[in-house]
Amino acid sequence: MPMMCGGTSEAKSADEEIQTICDKMKPHTEQNTGKTYEVFSATTYKTQVVAGTNYFIKVHVGGEDHVHLRVFQTLPCHGGELKLTSVQQSKTHHDPIEYF
């Protein structure tokens, strides 16, 4: 199925680039949730191209627990900076990544 303009991509397995984004967002996520995560491993993700890129990332945080991160990356001409824009807690491995 082709990607809808403005819609999210199909879910993909996380790679080194996505893990690097998660590593940068870990302290922001911990501050947002009030929790400390010993495990913070990206598993899958979707992207949405807007005036930059939204990353919707499923992150394993230990045991059966996962969180979903929404991270916005500005366009390269605007510095390509990353910002954690939202976190969904109490997710499982089986919960699909959806727009939030």
Side-chain angles (χ1 to χ4, degrees), residues 11-63:
K12 302 174 210 160
S13 295
D15 56 18
E16 189 175 324
E17 176 187 5
I18 300 303
Q19 185 59 51
T20 298
I21 292 171
C22 285
D23 293 343
K24 291 178 180 177
M25 294 297 107
K26 183 181 178 196
H28 303 286
T29 303
E30 290 176 335
Q31 182 179 17
N32 184 290
T33 62
K35 298 179 181 177
T36 301
Y37 301 109
E38 295 200 20
V39 176
F40 205 75
S41 179
T43 59
T44 55
Y45 73 102
K46 290 184 177 185
T47 58
Q48 177 191 36
V49 177
V50 287
T53 303
N54 280 318
Y55 292 91
F56 300 90
I57 308 170
K58 181 183 293 190
V59 182
H60 178 236
V61 293

Side-chain angles (χ1 to χ4, degrees), residues 3 8 21 24 26 28 48 63 65-67 86:
M3 183 172 73
T8 60
I21 292 171
K24 291 178 180 177
K26 183 181 178 196
H28 303 286
Q48 177 191 36
D65 297 330
H66 290 73
V67 295
S86 189

